[in-house]
Amino acid sequence: MEPTTKTETLDIEGMTCASCASFVEKSLTRTPGVQRAVVNFATEKATIDYLPTQASPATLKEAVVNAGYGVTERAPDTSAADRQAEIDQQKAVAYGKLKRRFWVAAGLAVLIMPLSMLMLWPALMQQMNMQILNYGLLVLTLPVLLYSGREFYVSAWNGFRHRAANMDTLIAVGTGAAFLYSLAATVVPDWFTRQGIMPEVYYDTTATIIALILLGKLLELRAKTQTSAAIKALMGLQAKTARVVRSGGQEVDVPIEQVQLNDIILVRPGEKVATDGLIEEGHSAVDEAMLTGESLPVEKKAGDPVFGATLNKTGSFRFRVTKIGADTMLSQIVKLVEDAQGSRALIQRLADKVSAVFVPTVVVIAILTFVLWFDLAPVESRLPLALVNFVAVLIIACPCALGLATPTAIMVSTGKGAEHGVLIRNAEALEKAHQVDTVLLDKTGTITRGEPAVTDFVPAPGQDADQLLQVVAAVERQSEHPLAAAVVRYAEAQGASVIAAAGFQAIEGKGAQAVVNSQPVLIGNFRLLEEAGISLPPAVRQQADELLAQAKTVLYVAVAGQAAGVIGVADTVRETSATAIKHLQAMGLEVVMMTGDNPQTAAQVAQQVGITRYFAEVLPADKAGKVKELQAEGRTVAMVGDGINDAPALAQADIGLAMGGGTDVAMEAAGITLMRSDLQGVVTAIELSRQTIRTIKQNLFFAFIYNTMGIPIAAGLLYPFFGILLSPMLAAGAMALSSVSVLTNSLRLRGFSPLPS
C-alpha cells in the first residue's frame, strides 16, 4: 500500500528574490520524507507534500531556518479571513518600515548627489576643501548604508553563512565595494595619489543605488498586494454577524465566529446569508453572483441550500446551519484559489533553472569585468573604471523579474477566474487549458439542463387548453415522479390556477390517476390509456407521433374516459449553450458532443446547438475511451461533464472541466470547476488561460531580454565602439524598473472580462 502523504503550507519570511525561493525549495526537498516542495516567491508560501512517518512540520520549519529564512507561525484553527487579515497586517507593517527606509535614503541621496558633483561649479569647487567635503559625504552616507540598506547586508551575510547567494548579495557587494573604495579614498587619499590615482569617492553611487532599489521594492510590494486583491474581495464578502434564533424564539445577533452547527438563523431582505445551510421555512430570491458569477437571483424555498456571503433579495427565511468556518463554500473557494496561486506552471521551470544559477553567474561576470577593465584600461583610470563597471554589472542583474514573471500572472488570473465563477485547481490546469484544440461535451447536464421540461402541451380538438392544464397540474402535484414535477413547473410558469384532486393513485411504470372536478383523469404512457380501453383520435395520434419522432417523451391525458391531449417532455437545451459553442468554435476549437442517447436524438441536439461531430449511444464506462480516441488523433482534449460517470473521462482528458451543479466526484477529477451550470464558463476558462499564458510569455521575454542585454552593457561592451559606459545609478534604476514592469504587465489581467453569453 502506498504510504499516505500530508500537505503543509508555510509562510516564508525574508525572501527577496527568486534565488531565495530556490534555496528554500532545495533545503526542503533535501529533507528526509519530503516528496515534493514548491516555494512561490510571489505569494511567499511553501507548499510541501511529505510522509508523516519521516518528517513533521517542525523538521520542515527547521529546513527553512537552515536555509537562512524564517517561518511565520500559523494558528491551526485560523479561518481564511483571519489568516489573510493577519498577513495584511504584517504586510502593512513591512510596507511602513520599507517606506521609512526609502525616504531616509532618498532624502540623503538628494543632498549627497549635488555635493558629489561640485566639479560642475568650478568656482565653488575651488573654495571647498575636498577632504572635508568627503568626510561630510561619508557622514551623510552612513545612515543610508546602516539604516536604509541594512537588510541587504544582513541578508547577504546570512546567505554567505549558508553558502548561498541571492539578489541582496549582488546589491550588498556592489554598494559595499563602492562605499569601501570611497571610504579608503576619504581616509587615506595620499596612498591613492602616490599610486597615480585620483582619490575619487562614490558615495552618491552607494546612496542613490540603495534609494532606487528601495523605491523598486516599494512599488513591487504594492503591486504584489494588488495581485491578491481577488482573494481579499472574496473574503471581504463574508458576513460579520448572524441573527441566531434561540429556543423560545428569541433573536440574537452574534459574531459569525460564534455560530454553531445546527443553529437556526433568520435572514431578512437585503441581508447577507451568514454561512452555509438548508432553508427550514420561508422562501426568497438569493443573489449568488459573488460565488457563481450568475447575475440573476436564484429562487429558494424550504429544503434548498443557501451559501454564506450570498445576498438575500426579496423574502425572509430561516435556515439550519450545516457548515461553518473552513468548511463553507466560500472558504473552500478561497482555499482553492490560494492553492492555485501557490502552484507552479510548467512554463516556469526554465525561469527557475536560470534563477538557481543566476546570482553566482553574475558574480563571476562582475569579477571578470573588474579584471578585464583593470588590465586593459589606462593606468591612471583603471581602478575607478574597473570598480564602476563591476558595481554596474552587480546592480543591473535582476533575478526578481524572472521570479515574478509567472507567479504574479497566475495569482491575478486565478483570482479573476474565481470572480467569474471559474475555479482553477492549479497553475498546470490553467496552462493546459490554453493548449486545448478539442472540447468534448457530455450532453446531459452540460449542453442540456439534465432535467425534464415540458416542450409541448397539445390539447385534443375541442378541449380548453387552460382548463386542461389546471386538471393535469392538479393530478401531477400529488406525484413525486420527475416527469410530474416538470409538468407542475410548466403549469406554474403558465400561471395555471391551483385546483384540488382526490383519490390520487400512482400506477407503477405507467402513470397516475385521480379525480378532478368529479371526473376521472388519467396521465401516463400509451399503455395506461390502452389498458383503460381509451382510443386516440387521429389528430391526437398524429401529434403524439410527431413528438415521438423528435425523440421526446410523450404523456397522454384522458378525462372522463376520453383522450384529452398529449404533453411532450424532453431534457431541454440550456439557453446559453448554442452561443457558448459558437464562441468556442470562433476561438478555433472543435466542439464534439457525447451522449448515451440514440443517434436520432443526438443528431437533433447537435443540430440545435451547431455541433457537427458527435458520439451517440456511449455507455458510461466507455466515456473515457472516447477521450482516448480523440487523443489518439493527436488532439489536446478538454472534457466537460457533471456526473459521477463523467469522472473517469474528466481524469483521462488533458484538462477536465466540471460543471458546478454536478457531483463532488466530478469536481475532484477536474482541473477546473465551473460554479455555474453554463457552458459560457468553458469559454471564460479557455480565454482566461490564453490571456494568462500570453502575459507570462511577455513577462519571461522581457525578463530574459532585459538581463541578456543589460549585463553586457553594464560590463562596458559598448565602450570600445561608442565610448558609452553605464552609470551604476542608471543600472539601479533599470533594475528597479524591470520588476515593476513585469508586475504591471501581470496586473493588466485584472481587466479581463468574459465574452457576453
Side-chain angles (χ1 to χ4, degrees), residues 462-490:
Q463 291 282 346
D464 182 275
D466 291 340
Q467 285 185 3
L468 182 63
L469 184 57
Q470 289 174 20
V471 169
V472 169
V475 177
E476 297 291 45
R477 279 193 186 93
Q478 313 294 314
S479 174
E480 294 179 354
H481 197 280
L483 294 180
V487 173
V488 172
R489 282 196 300 271
Y490 176 78

Side-chain angles (χ1 to χ4, degrees), residues 275-298:
T275 187
D276 296 6
L278 289 173
I279 294 181
E280 295 264 305
E281 59 179 88
H283 59 86
S284 183
V286 177
D287 182 357
E288 296 184 343
M290 58 286 297
L291 294 185
T292 65
E294 174 60 71
S295 56
L296 294 174
V298 181

Side-chain angles (χ1 to χ4, degrees), residues 111 114-137 140:
L111 288 173
L115 289 173
S116 301
M117 296 182 176
L118 287 181
M119 71 285 295
L120 300 175
W121 298 279
L124 189 61
M125 189 154 176
Q126 285 176 3
Q127 298 172 24
M128 186 69 68
N129 182 314
M130 290 308 296
Q131 195 155 5
I132 292 172
L133 176 63
N134 287 348
Y135 272 107
L137 290 170
L140 289 172

